[in-house]
Amino acid sequence: MLRVHRPKDTGRSLPLVVSFHGGGFFAGTAAQNDWLNSNVAARCPAVVVSVEYRLAPEHQLPQPIDDGYDTVVRLVEDSAHWGIDPASVAVMGESAGGTIAALIALRARKDGPPLRAQVLIYPGTDWTESMTGYSSITENADNPTLSVSRLRAARKLSMPPTLDPRSVSPVKFESLAGLPPTLVVTAALDPLADQGRHYAERLREDGTDARLTCYPRATHTFLSTPGLVPAARPARREIVAFLRSHVHPAPPS
């Protein structure tokens, strides 16, 4: 199932942004990101497709990632039907959806399709045993929007015993070179803040253009709660501006 946001009456092919919701791989729905996705579609402008990927425990990793990658490939292959420019594609995800987006970018650098950008919003980048060893986990352990117990439950429900957790932990990949320009959005009160920060640092070390923004007084999921967290609006503006600058090619000089 796909949830599609498309500007009205554009009369031309538009960039494609494929979006992935959060929920620890076992919860969540594409509709929870309508506030962000519809705005990106209107103001970028772009066709934003949000994916209802399969969820654990019935469908454990890497099935959600395969769903995401297969969706990107099929949309690009049928670009005329969707009214999209197959040469101007980006991925975007929040929390576990950020994991999916990051892993799709890592796969696409070798197998295609080429991506223009990736936006990772408070992403989970480490699903190994070290996932709870970051300082932000300790500092924000009791945060009501994402508790440590929920993180552990996500890992237990989504990770089959035969899967190497490093294969679904972007920060554990040996090389992060050759990836598209990246925006990592984190929240200062989020247990996952250091996972996002560390991933941005790794990207830069390996030569990938990466921007990191940490919003103060913001919690995990804050872009889904704009009425409660004022930082959601400037964060959304930053995401739109970043995507616009990368998915719309500059006019010839």
Side-chain angles (χ1 to χ4, degrees), residues 122 132-151 186-197 214-220:
Y122 29 83
T132 57
Y134 297 82
S135 296
S136 61
I137 295 279
T138 304
E139 294 164 0
N140 302 304
D142 297 323
N143 191 294
T145 59
L146 180 65
S147 64
V148 174
S149 61
R150 185 176 176 86
L151 264 178
T186 62
L189 304 180
D190 180 9
L192 293 183
D194 283 346
Q195 288 199 23
R197 177 184 58 79
C214 182
Y215 285 87
R217 297 192 298 277
T219 60
H220 196 76

PDB file of all heavy atoms in Angstrom, residues 122 132-151 186-197 214-220:
ATOM      1  N   TYR A 122      15.768  11.733  13.063  1.00  0.00           N
ATOM      2  CA  TYR A 122      16.071  10.957  14.282  1.00  0.00           C
ATOM      3  C   TYR A 122      16.162   9.465  13.978  1.00  0.00           C
ATOM      4  O   TYR A 122      15.397   8.653  14.496  1.00  0.00           O
ATOM      5  CB  TYR A 122      15.095  11.231  15.432  1.00  0.00           C
ATOM      6  CG  TYR A 122      13.682  11.641  15.061  1.00  0.00           C
ATOM      7  CD1 TYR A 122      12.702  10.716  14.738  1.00  0.00           C
ATOM      8  CD2 TYR A 122      13.332  12.988  15.071  1.00  0.00           C
ATOM      9  CE1 TYR A 122      11.424  11.096  14.422  1.00  0.00           C
ATOM     10  CE2 TYR A 122      12.045  13.386  14.749  1.00  0.00           C
ATOM     11  CZ  TYR A 122      11.095  12.434  14.422  1.00  0.00           C
ATOM     12  OH  TYR A 122       9.818  12.820  14.097  1.00  0.00           O
ATOM     13  N   THR A 132      22.288   0.506  22.895  1.00  0.00           N
ATOM     14  CA  THR A 132      21.941   1.279  24.098  1.00  0.00           C
ATOM     15  C   THR A 132      23.175   1.847  24.793  1.00  0.00           C
ATOM     16  O   THR A 132      23.079   2.336  25.918  1.00  0.00           O
ATOM     17  CB  THR A 132      21.147   0.404  25.092  1.00  0.00           C
ATOM     18  OG1 THR A 132      21.919  -0.755  25.423  1.00  0.00           O
ATOM     19  CG2 THR A 132      19.818  -0.023  24.507  1.00  0.00           C
ATOM     20  N   GLY A 133      24.328   1.828  24.134  1.00  0.00           N
ATOM     21  CA  GLY A 133      25.562   2.288  24.760  1.00  0.00           C
ATOM     22  C   GLY A 133      25.905   3.739  24.492  1.00  0.00           C
ATOM     23  O   GLY A 133      26.994   4.177  24.861  1.00  0.00           O
ATOM     24  N   TYR A 134      25.005   4.491  23.892  1.00  0.00           N
ATOM     25  CA  TYR A 134      25.267   5.890  23.570  1.00  0.00           C
ATOM     26  C   TYR A 134      24.862   6.801  24.722  1.00  0.00           C
ATOM     27  O   TYR A 134      23.897   6.510  25.451  1.00  0.00           O
ATOM     28  CB  TYR A 134      24.513   6.289  22.304  1.00  0.00           C
ATOM     29  CG  TYR A 134      24.947   5.530  21.071  1.00  0.00           C
ATOM     30  CD1 TYR A 134      24.446   4.259  20.795  1.00  0.00           C
ATOM     31  CD2 TYR A 134      25.864   6.072  20.177  1.00  0.00           C
ATOM     32  CE1 TYR A 134      24.840   3.552  19.669  1.00  0.00           C
ATOM     33  CE2 TYR A 134      26.269   5.375  19.041  1.00  0.00           C
ATOM     34  CZ  TYR A 134      25.757   4.116  18.801  1.00  0.00           C
ATOM     35  OH  TYR A 134      26.156   3.422  17.688  1.00  0.00           O
ATOM     36  N   SER A 135      25.555   7.915  24.863  1.00  0.00           N
ATOM     37  CA  SER A 135      25.281   8.829  25.986  1.00  0.00           C
ATOM     38  C   SER A 135      23.848   9.341  25.963  1.00  0.00           C
ATOM     39  O   SER A 135      23.215   9.485  27.015  1.00  0.00           O
ATOM     40  CB  SER A 135      26.251  10.018  25.942  1.00  0.00           C
ATOM     41  OG  SER A 135      27.582   9.591  26.127  1.00  0.00           O
ATOM     42  N   SER A 136      23.330   9.636  24.780  1.00  0.00           N
ATOM     43  CA  SER A 136      21.965  10.175  24.712  1.00  0.00           C
ATOM     44  C   SER A 136      20.931   9.159  25.181  1.00  0.00           C
ATOM     45  O   SER A 136      19.851   9.545  25.642  1.00  0.00           O
ATOM     46  CB  SER A 136      21.643  10.616  23.284  1.00  0.00           C
ATOM     47  OG  SER A 136      21.717   9.533  22.375  1.00  0.00           O
ATOM     48  N   ILE A 137      21.245   7.871  25.086  1.00  0.00           N
ATOM     49  CA  ILE A 137      20.337   6.846  25.606  1.00  0.00           C
ATOM     50  C   ILE A 137      20.222   6.986  27.116  1.00  0.00           C
ATOM     51  O   ILE A 137      19.124   6.980  27.690  1.00  0.00           O
ATOM     52  CB  ILE A 137      20.840   5.436  25.246  1.00  0.00           C
ATOM     53  CG1 ILE A 137      20.823   5.226  23.734  1.00  0.00           C
ATOM     54  CG2 ILE A 137      20.030   4.373  25.972  1.00  0.00           C
ATOM     55  CD1 ILE A 137      19.486   4.871  23.154  1.00  0.00           C
ATOM     56  N   THR A 138      21.363   7.133  27.781  1.00  0.00           N
ATOM     57  CA  THR A 138      21.366   7.277  29.238  1.00  0.00           C
ATOM     58  C   THR A 138      20.711   8.587  29.660  1.00  0.00           C
ATOM     59  O   THR A 138      19.886   8.621  30.589  1.00  0.00           O
ATOM     60  CB  THR A 138      22.812   7.222  29.764  1.00  0.00           C
ATOM     61  OG1 THR A 138      23.421   6.005  29.342  1.00  0.00           O
ATOM     62  CG2 THR A 138      22.835   7.306  31.278  1.00  0.00           C
ATOM     63  N   GLU A 139      21.051   9.671  28.980  1.00  0.00           N
ATOM     64  CA  GLU A 139      20.544  10.991  29.361  1.00  0.00           C
ATOM     65  C   GLU A 139      19.041  11.118  29.161  1.00  0.00           C
ATOM     66  O   GLU A 139      18.374  11.848  29.903  1.00  0.00           O
ATOM     67  CB  GLU A 139      21.265  12.065  28.540  1.00  0.00           C
ATOM     68  CG  GLU A 139      22.756  12.161  28.855  1.00  0.00           C
ATOM     69  CD  GLU A 139      23.519  12.938  27.798  1.00  0.00           C
ATOM     70  OE1 GLU A 139      22.880  13.411  26.819  1.00  0.00           O
ATOM     71  OE2 GLU A 139      24.750  13.068  27.936  1.00  0.00           O
ATOM     72  N   ASN A 140      18.499  10.429  28.159  1.00  0.00           N
ATOM     73  CA  ASN A 140      17.073  10.562  27.835  1.00  0.00           C
ATOM     74  C   ASN A 140      16.326   9.238  27.986  1.00  0.00           C
ATOM     75  O   ASN A 140      15.316   9.012  27.320  1.00  0.00           O
ATOM     76  CB  ASN A 140      16.916  11.084  26.405  1.00  0.00           C
ATOM     77  CG  ASN A 140      17.597  12.414  26.190  1.00  0.00           C
ATOM     78  OD1 ASN A 140      17.327  13.376  26.894  1.00  0.00           O
ATOM     79  ND2 ASN A 140      18.501  12.473  25.217  1.00  0.00           N
ATOM     80  N   ALA A 141      16.795   8.408  28.897  1.00  0.00           N
ATOM     81  CA  ALA A 141      16.259   7.049  29.015  1.00  0.00           C
ATOM     82  C   ALA A 141      14.781   7.018  29.343  1.00  0.00           C
ATOM     83  O   ALA A 141      14.069   6.084  28.951  1.00  0.00           O
ATOM     84  CB  ALA A 141      17.041   6.279  30.076  1.00  0.00           C
ATOM     85  N   ASP A 142      14.293   8.031  30.057  1.00  0.00           N
ATOM     86  CA  ASP A 142      12.897   8.023  30.485  1.00  0.00           C
ATOM     87  C   ASP A 142      12.017   8.905  29.612  1.00  0.00           C
ATOM     88  O   ASP A 142      10.890   9.248  29.997  1.00  0.00           O
ATOM     89  CB  ASP A 142      12.802   8.491  31.950  1.00  0.00           C
ATOM     90  CG  ASP A 142      13.531   7.547  32.890  1.00  0.00           C
ATOM     91  OD1 ASP A 142      13.491   6.330  32.649  1.00  0.00           O
ATOM     92  OD2 ASP A 142      14.147   8.030  33.862  1.00  0.00           O
ATOM     93  N   ASN A 143      12.510   9.275  28.455  1.00  0.00           N
ATOM     94  CA  ASN A 143      11.715  10.116  27.577  1.00  0.00           C
ATOM     95  C   ASN A 143      10.428   9.394  27.190  1.00  0.00           C
ATOM     96  O   ASN A 143      10.473   8.260  26.721  1.00  0.00           O
ATOM     97  CB  ASN A 143      12.531  10.458  26.319  1.00  0.00           C
ATOM     98  CG  ASN A 143      11.884  11.544  25.490  1.00  0.00           C
ATOM     99  OD1 ASN A 143      10.815  11.334  24.936  1.00  0.00           O
ATOM    100  ND2 ASN A 143      12.523  12.694  25.418  1.00  0.00           N
ATOM    101  N   PRO A 144       9.274  10.028  27.359  1.00  0.00           N
ATOM    102  CA  PRO A 144       8.013   9.320  27.116  1.00  0.00           C
ATOM    103  C   PRO A 144       7.758   8.982  25.649  1.00  0.00           C
ATOM    104  O   PRO A 144       6.952   8.099  25.350  1.00  0.00           O
ATOM    105  CB  PRO A 144       6.952  10.303  27.638  1.00  0.00           C
ATOM    106  CG  PRO A 144       7.605  11.646  27.592  1.00  0.00           C
ATOM    107  CD  PRO A 144       9.054  11.392  27.884  1.00  0.00           C
ATOM    108  N   THR A 145       8.423   9.682  24.715  1.00  0.00           N
ATOM    109  CA  THR A 145       8.170   9.405  23.301  1.00  0.00           C
ATOM    110  C   THR A 145       8.971   8.219  22.783  1.00  0.00           C
ATOM    111  O   THR A 145       8.640   7.668  21.742  1.00  0.00           O
ATOM    112  CB  THR A 145       8.482  10.646  22.440  1.00  0.00           C
ATOM    113  OG1 THR A 145       9.852  11.002  22.624  1.00  0.00           O
ATOM    114  CG2 THR A 145       7.586  11.808  22.824  1.00  0.00           C
ATOM    115  N   LEU A 146      10.035   7.834  23.485  1.00  0.00           N
ATOM    116  CA  LEU A 146      10.806   6.647  23.106  1.00  0.00           C
ATOM    117  C   LEU A 146      11.607   6.182  24.313  1.00  0.00           C
ATOM    118  O   LEU A 146      12.671   6.723  24.606  1.00  0.00           O
ATOM    119  CB  LEU A 146      11.746   6.934  21.931  1.00  0.00           C
ATOM    120  CG  LEU A 146      12.588   5.733  21.473  1.00  0.00           C
ATOM    121  CD1 LEU A 146      11.697   4.638  20.905  1.00  0.00           C
ATOM    122  CD2 LEU A 146      13.631   6.156  20.449  1.00  0.00           C
ATOM    123  N   SER A 147      11.110   5.164  24.977  1.00  0.00           N
ATOM    124  CA  SER A 147      11.812   4.633  26.146  1.00  0.00           C
ATOM    125  C   SER A 147      12.827   3.581  25.712  1.00  0.00           C
ATOM    126  O   SER A 147      12.738   3.017  24.613  1.00  0.00           O
ATOM    127  CB  SER A 147      10.809   4.004  27.110  1.00  0.00           C
ATOM    128  OG  SER A 147      10.179   2.886  26.507  1.00  0.00           O
ATOM    129  N   VAL A 148      13.777   3.306  26.589  1.00  0.00           N
ATOM    130  CA  VAL A 148      14.763   2.265  26.305  1.00  0.00           C
ATOM    131  C   VAL A 148      14.076   0.908  26.191  1.00  0.00           C
ATOM    132  O   VAL A 148      14.445   0.076  25.354  1.00  0.00           O
ATOM    133  CB  VAL A 148      15.851   2.241  27.388  1.00  0.00           C
ATOM    134  CG1 VAL A 148      16.792   1.064  27.182  1.00  0.00           C
ATOM    135  CG2 VAL A 148      16.640   3.545  27.376  1.00  0.00           C
ATOM    136  N   SER A 149      13.051   0.680  26.997  1.00  0.00           N
ATOM    137  CA  SER A 149      12.345  -0.601  26.925  1.00  0.00           C
ATOM    138  C   SER A 149      11.665  -0.779  25.573  1.00  0.00           C
ATOM    139  O   SER A 149      11.616  -1.885  25.030  1.00  0.00           O
ATOM    140  CB  SER A 149      11.313  -0.699  28.052  1.00  0.00           C
ATOM    141  OG  SER A 149      10.347   0.328  27.951  1.00  0.00           O
ATOM    142  N   ARG A 150      11.176   0.308  25.003  1.00  0.00           N
ATOM    143  CA  ARG A 150      10.553   0.207  23.675  1.00  0.00           C
ATOM    144  C   ARG A 150      11.611  -0.065  22.608  1.00  0.00           C
ATOM    145  O   ARG A 150      11.369  -0.830  21.671  1.00  0.00           O
ATOM    146  CB  ARG A 150       9.778   1.481  23.359  1.00  0.00           C
ATOM    147  CG  ARG A 150       9.005   1.409  22.039  1.00  0.00           C
ATOM    148  CD  ARG A 150       8.182   2.667  21.829  1.00  0.00           C
ATOM    149  NE  ARG A 150       7.513   2.665  20.537  1.00  0.00           N
ATOM    150  CZ  ARG A 150       6.335   2.123  20.275  1.00  0.00           C
ATOM    151  NH1 ARG A 150       5.671   1.514  21.260  1.00  0.00           N
ATOM    152  NH2 ARG A 150       5.799   2.174  19.072  1.00  0.00           N
ATOM    153  N   LEU A 151      12.775   0.546  22.754  1.00  0.00           N
ATOM    154  CA  LEU A 151      13.865   0.263  21.817  1.00  0.00           C
ATOM    155  C   LEU A 151      14.237  -1.217  21.843  1.00  0.00           C
ATOM    156  O   LEU A 151      14.404  -1.854  20.800  1.00  0.00           O
ATOM    157  CB  LEU A 151      15.084   1.105  22.180  1.00  0.00           C
ATOM    158  CG  LEU A 151      15.317   2.427  21.460  1.00  0.00           C
ATOM    159  CD1 LEU A 151      16.547   3.115  22.021  1.00  0.00           C
ATOM    160  CD2 LEU A 151      15.442   2.216  19.960  1.00  0.00           C
ATOM    161  N   THR A 186      18.130  15.592  14.188  1.00  0.00           N
ATOM    162  CA  THR A 186      18.033  14.949  15.496  1.00  0.00           C
ATOM    163  C   THR A 186      17.348  15.883  16.485  1.00  0.00           C
ATOM    164  O   THR A 186      17.142  17.071  16.224  1.00  0.00           O
ATOM    165  CB  THR A 186      19.415  14.548  16.039  1.00  0.00           C
ATOM    166  OG1 THR A 186      20.208  15.731  16.216  1.00  0.00           O
ATOM    167  CG2 THR A 186      20.123  13.603  15.089  1.00  0.00           C
ATOM    168  N   ALA A 187      16.997  15.328  17.640  1.00  0.00           N
ATOM    169  CA  ALA A 187      16.321  16.072  18.701  1.00  0.00           C
ATOM    170  C   ALA A 187      17.139  15.940  19.981  1.00  0.00           C
ATOM    171  O   ALA A 187      17.548  14.836  20.345  1.00  0.00           O
ATOM    172  CB  ALA A 187      14.905  15.528  18.920  1.00  0.00           C
ATOM    173  N   ALA A 188      17.356  17.048  20.668  1.00  0.00           N
ATOM    174  CA  ALA A 188      18.246  17.051  21.827  1.00  0.00           C
ATOM    175  C   ALA A 188      17.741  16.159  22.958  1.00  0.00           C
ATOM    176  O   ALA A 188      18.537  15.657  23.756  1.00  0.00           O
ATOM    177  CB  ALA A 188      18.440  18.478  22.333  1.00  0.00           C
ATOM    178  N   LEU A 189      16.429  15.946  23.055  1.00  0.00           N
ATOM    179  CA  LEU A 189      15.858  15.151  24.145  1.00  0.00           C
ATOM    180  C   LEU A 189      15.527  13.723  23.723  1.00  0.00           C
ATOM    181  O   LEU A 189      14.779  13.029  24.399  1.00  0.00           O
ATOM    182  CB  LEU A 189      14.596  15.841  24.678  1.00  0.00           C
ATOM    183  CG  LEU A 189      14.786  17.287  25.152  1.00  0.00           C
ATOM    184  CD1 LEU A 189      13.461  17.864  25.648  1.00  0.00           C
ATOM    185  CD2 LEU A 189      15.844  17.367  26.247  1.00  0.00           C
ATOM    186  N   ASP A 190      16.125  13.291  22.629  1.00  0.00           N
ATOM    187  CA  ASP A 190      15.825  11.984  22.049  1.00  0.00           C
ATOM    188  C   ASP A 190      16.906  10.976  22.419  1.00  0.00           C
ATOM    189  O   ASP A 190      18.099  11.253  22.259  1.00  0.00           O
ATOM    190  CB  ASP A 190      15.759  12.146  20.533  1.00  0.00           C
ATOM    191  CG  ASP A 190      15.461  10.856  19.797  1.00  0.00           C
ATOM    192  OD1 ASP A 190      15.126   9.844  20.434  1.00  0.00           O
ATOM    193  OD2 ASP A 190      15.574  10.866  18.550  1.00  0.00           O
ATOM    194  N   PRO A 191      16.537   9.787  22.879  1.00  0.00           N
ATOM    195  CA  PRO A 191      17.548   8.758  23.136  1.00  0.00           C
ATOM    196  C   PRO A 191      18.395   8.422  21.908  1.00  0.00           C
ATOM    197  O   PRO A 191      19.549   8.005  22.052  1.00  0.00           O
ATOM    198  CB  PRO A 191      16.711   7.550  23.571  1.00  0.00           C
ATOM    199  CG  PRO A 191      15.463   8.131  24.139  1.00  0.00           C
ATOM    200  CD  PRO A 191      15.195   9.348  23.316  1.00  0.00           C
ATOM    201  N   LEU A 192      17.856   8.603  20.711  1.00  0.00           N
ATOM    202  CA  LEU A 192      18.597   8.254  19.489  1.00  0.00           C
ATOM    203  C   LEU A 192      19.451   9.400  18.954  1.00  0.00           C
ATOM    204  O   LEU A 192      20.059   9.259  17.878  1.00  0.00           O
ATOM    205  CB  LEU A 192      17.622   7.806  18.392  1.00  0.00           C
ATOM    206  CG  LEU A 192      16.874   6.494  18.620  1.00  0.00           C
ATOM    207  CD1 LEU A 192      16.017   6.154  17.413  1.00  0.00           C
ATOM    208  CD2 LEU A 192      17.827   5.351  18.934  1.00  0.00           C
ATOM    209  N   ALA A 193      19.534  10.515  19.667  1.00  0.00           N
ATOM    210  CA  ALA A 193      20.260  11.677  19.148  1.00  0.00           C
ATOM    211  C   ALA A 193      21.700  11.336  18.779  1.00  0.00           C
ATOM    212  O   ALA A 193      22.210  11.751  17.728  1.00  0.00           O
ATOM    213  CB  ALA A 193      20.226  12.815  20.167  1.00  0.00           C
ATOM    214  N   ASP A 194      22.382  10.588  19.614  1.00  0.00           N
ATOM    215  CA  ASP A 194      23.787  10.274  19.346  1.00  0.00           C
ATOM    216  C   ASP A 194      23.954   9.290  18.193  1.00  0.00           C
ATOM    217  O   ASP A 194      24.981   9.313  17.501  1.00  0.00           O
ATOM    218  CB  ASP A 194      24.456   9.712  20.603  1.00  0.00           C
ATOM    219  CG  ASP A 194      24.793  10.784  21.619  1.00  0.00           C
ATOM    220  OD1 ASP A 194      24.750  11.976  21.255  1.00  0.00           O
ATOM    221  OD2 ASP A 194      25.079  10.437  22.778  1.00  0.00           O
ATOM    222  N   GLN A 195      22.963   8.434  17.967  1.00  0.00           N
ATOM    223  CA  GLN A 195      23.047   7.546  16.810  1.00  0.00           C
ATOM    224  C   GLN A 195      23.019   8.353  15.518  1.00  0.00           C
ATOM    225  O   GLN A 195      23.788   8.086  14.585  1.00  0.00           O
ATOM    226  CB  GLN A 195      21.909   6.527  16.827  1.00  0.00           C
ATOM    227  CG  GLN A 195      22.060   5.451  17.893  1.00  0.00           C
ATOM    228  CD  GLN A 195      21.213   4.231  17.615  1.00  0.00           C
ATOM    229  OE1 GLN A 195      20.834   3.964  16.470  1.00  0.00           O
ATOM    230  NE2 GLN A 195      20.908   3.459  18.643  1.00  0.00           N
ATOM    231  N   GLY A 196      22.142   9.363  15.451  1.00  0.00           N
ATOM    232  CA  GLY A 196      22.106  10.219  14.277  1.00  0.00           C
ATOM    233  C   GLY A 196      23.367  11.037  14.121  1.00  0.00           C
ATOM    234  O   GLY A 196      23.920  11.159  13.024  1.00  0.00           O
ATOM    235  N   ARG A 197      23.845  11.595  15.225  1.00  0.00           N
ATOM    236  CA  ARG A 197      25.062  12.410  15.185  1.00  0.00           C
ATOM    237  C   ARG A 197      26.255  11.581  14.735  1.00  0.00           C
ATOM    238  O   ARG A 197      27.047  12.010  13.887  1.00  0.00           O
ATOM    239  CB  ARG A 197      25.334  13.021  16.564  1.00  0.00           C
ATOM    240  CG  ARG A 197      26.632  13.836  16.632  1.00  0.00           C
ATOM    241  CD  ARG A 197      26.903  14.333  18.045  1.00  0.00           C
ATOM    242  NE  ARG A 197      26.997  13.254  19.012  1.00  0.00           N
ATOM    243  CZ  ARG A 197      28.064  12.485  19.175  1.00  0.00           C
ATOM    244  NH1 ARG A 197      29.146  12.668  18.429  1.00  0.00           N
ATOM    245  NH2 ARG A 197      28.072  11.522  20.083  1.00  0.00           N
ATOM    246  N   CYS A 214      20.587  19.502  15.136  1.00  0.00           N
ATOM    247  CA  CYS A 214      19.972  19.015  16.377  1.00  0.00           C
ATOM    248  C   CYS A 214      19.069  20.123  16.924  1.00  0.00           C
ATOM    249  O   CYS A 214      19.536  21.229  17.212  1.00  0.00           O
ATOM    250  CB  CYS A 214      21.038  18.634  17.396  1.00  0.00           C
ATOM    251  SG  CYS A 214      20.363  17.957  18.930  1.00  0.00           S
ATOM    252  N   TYR A 215      17.791  19.821  17.080  1.00  0.00           N
ATOM    253  CA  TYR A 215      16.829  20.813  17.551  1.00  0.00           C
ATOM    254  C   TYR A 215      16.691  20.724  19.076  1.00  0.00           C
ATOM    255  O   TYR A 215      16.363  19.666  19.620  1.00  0.00           O
ATOM    256  CB  TYR A 215      15.477  20.610  16.873  1.00  0.00           C
ATOM    257  CG  TYR A 215      15.495  21.103  15.442  1.00  0.00           C
ATOM    258  CD1 TYR A 215      15.916  20.274  14.402  1.00  0.00           C
ATOM    259  CD2 TYR A 215      15.148  22.410  15.142  1.00  0.00           C
ATOM    260  CE1 TYR A 215      15.972  20.738  13.092  1.00  0.00           C
ATOM    261  CE2 TYR A 215      15.196  22.891  13.829  1.00  0.00           C
ATOM    262  CZ  TYR A 215      15.601  22.048  12.820  1.00  0.00           C
ATOM    263  OH  TYR A 215      15.662  22.523  11.532  1.00  0.00           O
ATOM    264  N   PRO A 216      16.949  21.828  19.781  1.00  0.00           N
ATOM    265  CA  PRO A 216      16.837  21.831  21.238  1.00  0.00           C
ATOM    266  C   PRO A 216      15.374  21.731  21.673  1.00  0.00           C
ATOM    267  O   PRO A 216      14.459  22.099  20.924  1.00  0.00           O
ATOM    268  CB  PRO A 216      17.448  23.172  21.642  1.00  0.00           C
ATOM    269  CG  PRO A 216      17.250  24.048  20.449  1.00  0.00           C
ATOM    270  CD  PRO A 216      17.360  23.151  19.250  1.00  0.00           C
ATOM    271  N   ARG A 217      15.168  21.233  22.871  1.00  0.00           N
ATOM    272  CA  ARG A 217      13.833  21.095  23.461  1.00  0.00           C
ATOM    273  C   ARG A 217      12.884  20.310  22.552  1.00  0.00           C
ATOM    274  O   ARG A 217      11.677  20.537  22.551  1.00  0.00           O
ATOM    275  CB  ARG A 217      13.242  22.467  23.803  1.00  0.00           C
ATOM    276  CG  ARG A 217      14.033  23.220  24.847  1.00  0.00           C
ATOM    277  CD  ARG A 217      13.282  24.431  25.375  1.00  0.00           C
ATOM    278  NE  ARG A 217      13.027  25.399  24.309  1.00  0.00           N
ATOM    279  CZ  ARG A 217      13.913  26.296  23.897  1.00  0.00           C
ATOM    280  NH1 ARG A 217      15.116  26.349  24.443  1.00  0.00           N
ATOM    281  NH2 ARG A 217      13.603  27.152  22.940  1.00  0.00           N
ATOM    282  N   ALA A 218      13.453  19.418  21.742  1.00  0.00           N
ATOM    283  CA  ALA A 218      12.650  18.565  20.868  1.00  0.00           C
ATOM    284  C   ALA A 218      12.856  17.111  21.260  1.00  0.00           C
ATOM    285  O   ALA A 218      13.942  16.714  21.694  1.00  0.00           O
ATOM    286  CB  ALA A 218      13.032  18.778  19.404  1.00  0.00           C
ATOM    287  N   THR A 219      11.804  16.326  21.107  1.00  0.00           N
ATOM    288  CA  THR A 219      11.817  14.922  21.492  1.00  0.00           C
ATOM    289  C   THR A 219      11.716  14.030  20.255  1.00  0.00           C
ATOM    290  O   THR A 219      11.443  14.505  19.152  1.00  0.00           O
ATOM    291  CB  THR A 219      10.629  14.606  22.411  1.00  0.00           C
ATOM    292  OG1 THR A 219       9.407  14.904  21.703  1.00  0.00           O
ATOM    293  CG2 THR A 219      10.680  15.425  23.679  1.00  0.00           C
ATOM    294  N   HIS A 220      11.925  12.748  20.461  1.00  0.00           N
ATOM    295  CA  HIS A 220      11.685  11.776  19.400  1.00  0.00           C
ATOM    296  C   HIS A 220      10.243  11.930  18.912  1.00  0.00           C
ATOM    297  O   HIS A 220       9.348  12.154  19.706  1.00  0.00           O
ATOM    298  CB  HIS A 220      11.929  10.364  19.930  1.00  0.00           C
ATOM    299  CG  HIS A 220      12.072   9.334  18.863  1.00  0.00           C
ATOM    300  ND1 HIS A 220      13.213   9.201  18.106  1.00  0.00           N
ATOM    301  CD2 HIS A 220      11.215   8.368  18.425  1.00  0.00           C
ATOM    302  CE1 HIS A 220      13.063   8.202  17.247  1.00  0.00           C
ATOM    303  NE2 HIS A 220      11.862   7.689  17.415  1.00  0.00           N
TER     304      HIS A 220
END
